[in-house]
Amino acid sequence: MNGRRNALRAGLALAAAGTLPAAAQAAPRIVTVGGALTEIAFAVGAGAQVVGSDTTSVYPEAALRTPKVGYQRQLSAEGVLSLRPDVLLATDDAGPPAVIALLREAGLRIEQVPGTHDLAELWRKIDAVGRATSRGAEAAALRGTVEARWQAASRRMETWRRPPARAPRVLFVLAHGPSPQVAGRKTAADAVIALAGGRNVLDGFDGYRPLTAEGAVAAAPDWVLTTRQAIDAAGGADAFWRQPGLAATPAGRRRALHAPDALALLGFGPRLPQAVEALAEVLAGTPAS
């Protein structure tokens, strides 16, 4: 195993030495790993510099046409280096760690943005894209635009916000695959629910757990939050409600479902103000208990 790893390191270093362009060039070539980072790169006018991205990079439409380097947690060092980037710009979810280490050893500049599920994460992403693409002025302008949107959304949301004891109860269901899961604390979904003035009904654990009928019924959510992609994967809203236990909840009886675009809702990218405001407006319509 060590011999194979050493051989791979040597091969990657040779590939990098022979194919990576000089870091001093005017328009750095970047590979973006994380849909929000890719979205920001296009938003600052650096789409032509994105020579590759991961499979979560689906917005804007032009991002779909960039060469893909795999899922963000299952990257291939050879695949990244074959695109001859100057910079790998990624969230701290990118991996596996051994691949990130190999890329560093090959001489690739890597910038990773910590995921903290708050507004600070969004500002760090915009700033990081500005640095990586040498478009600091454009990034500053985008940040100003997004900050203004957030301030305007916050003023409107404040008029809808209820006291904590009466905050609408929300269950987030991640159902992009065959085994639906629900979100606990320290997740992007938990953070977005709180920003919108709701209460995550599953606050007794961190991360994600499988959805069970018993758990859904006991949680008794006023609203079920999911994504448009989950509805599509289920074959429509009626099919989605057949997930374990959902139809028997207060939300299920009212068909109280909100399903925006996954990247806009969970990616902590430049569309975050609109996504949070839309959720807050939906929650404002929760009947008084």
Side-chain angles (χ1 to χ4, degrees), residues 124-189:
R124 283 196 300 270
K125 285 175 176 174
I126 294 175
D127 294 345
V129 170
R131 289 192 301 272
T133 62
S134 298
R135 290 176 177 264
E138 293 88 340
L142 175 63
R143 175 166 174 167
T145 298
V146 177
E147 285 180 331
R149 287 175 182 161
W150 177 255
Q151 290 165 4
S154 296
R155 288 192 293 270
R156 288 188 289 269
M157 289 190 293
E158 197 58 38
T159 67
W160 304 328
R161 197 172 297 272
R162 301 185 183 190
R166 296 175 53 211
R169 297 165 55 83
V170 184
L171 173 68
F172 178 79
V173 179
L174 180 67
H176 294 182
S179 302
Q181 296 186 309
V182 291
R185 296 183 309 247
K186 299 182 180 179
T187 60

Side-chain angles (χ1 to χ4, degrees), residues 221-223 241 247 249-257 282 285-287:
D222 298 309
W223 285 89
W241 282 114
T249 65
R253 290 190 288 272
R254 293 172 38 241
R255 287 296 193 266
L257 179 67
V282 164
T286 306

Side-chain angles (χ1 to χ4, degrees):
M1 178 64 72
N2 286 339
R4 180 181 177 186
R5 180 181 176 85
N6 290 337
L8 180 57
R9 278 204 193 99
L12 292 175
L14 288 173
T19 63
L20 288 177
Q25 66 180 5
R29 296 164 58 88
I30 64 171
V31 168
T32 49
V33 176
L37 291 168
T38 306
E39 181 176 345
I40 293 166
F42 278 86
V44 300
Q49 295 174 240
V50 180
V51 298
S53 65
D54 73 311
T55 55
T56 72
S57 298
V58 296
Y59 185 89
E61 185 176 350
L64 291 169
R65 298 192 289 272
T66 58
K68 297 302 176 185
V69 295
Y71 178 58
Q72 61 181 344
R73 292 186 175 90
Q74 298 174 335
L75 301 177
S76 160
E78 297 96 327
V80 171
L81 288 178
S82 72
L83 299 172
R84 300 183 296 114
D86 298 303
V87 185
L88 174 69
L89 181 58
T91 66
D92 58 2
D93 289 331
V99 167
I100 300 299
L102 284 173
L103 292 171
R104 290 188 191 279
E105 290 178 20
L108 181 61
R109 174 186 160 197
I110 297 175
E111 183 158 357
Q112 289 186 273
V113 180
T116 50
H117 306 319
D118 54 18
L119 288 171
E121 176 184 337
L122 172 54
W123 310 141
R124 283 196 300 270
K125 285 175 176 174
I126 294 175
D127 294 345
V129 170
R131 289 192 301 272
T133 62
S134 298
R135 290 176 177 264
E138 293 88 340
L142 175 63
R143 175 166 174 167
T145 298
V146 177
E147 285 180 331
R149 287 175 182 161
W150 177 255
Q151 290 165 4
S154 296
R155 288 192 293 270
R156 288 188 289 269
M157 289 190 293
E158 197 58 38
T159 67
W160 304 328
R161 197 172 297 272
R162 301 185 183 190
R166 296 175 53 211
R169 297 165 55 83
V170 184
L171 173 68
F172 178 79
V173 179
L174 180 67
H176 294 182
S179 302
Q181 296 186 309
V182 291
R185 296 183 309 247
K186 299 182 180 179
T187 60
D190 180 68
V192 167
I193 291 167
L195 286 172
R199 174 190 164 196
N200 182 3
V201 293
L202 298 180
D203 58 1
F205 61 91
D206 296 344
Y208 283 85
R209 287 186 179 178
L211 169 67
T212 65
E214 297 81 1
V217 172
D222 298 309
W223 285 89
V224 170
L225 177 63
T226 188
T227 67
R228 174 175 52 78
Q229 289 81 355
I231 298 299
D232 292 344
D238 288 343
F240 178 85
W241 282 114
R242 292 196 286 271
Q243 306 275 8
L246 294 185
T249 65
R253 290 190 288 272
R254 293 172 38 241
R255 287 296 193 266
L257 179 67
H258 184 58
D261 174 72
L263 182 57
L265 181 71
L266 304 175
F268 278 79
R271 290 176 290 162
L272 180 67
Q274 298 96 309
V276 172
E277 182 181 356
L279 175 58
E281 187 171 10
V282 164
L283 298 183
T286 306
S289 56

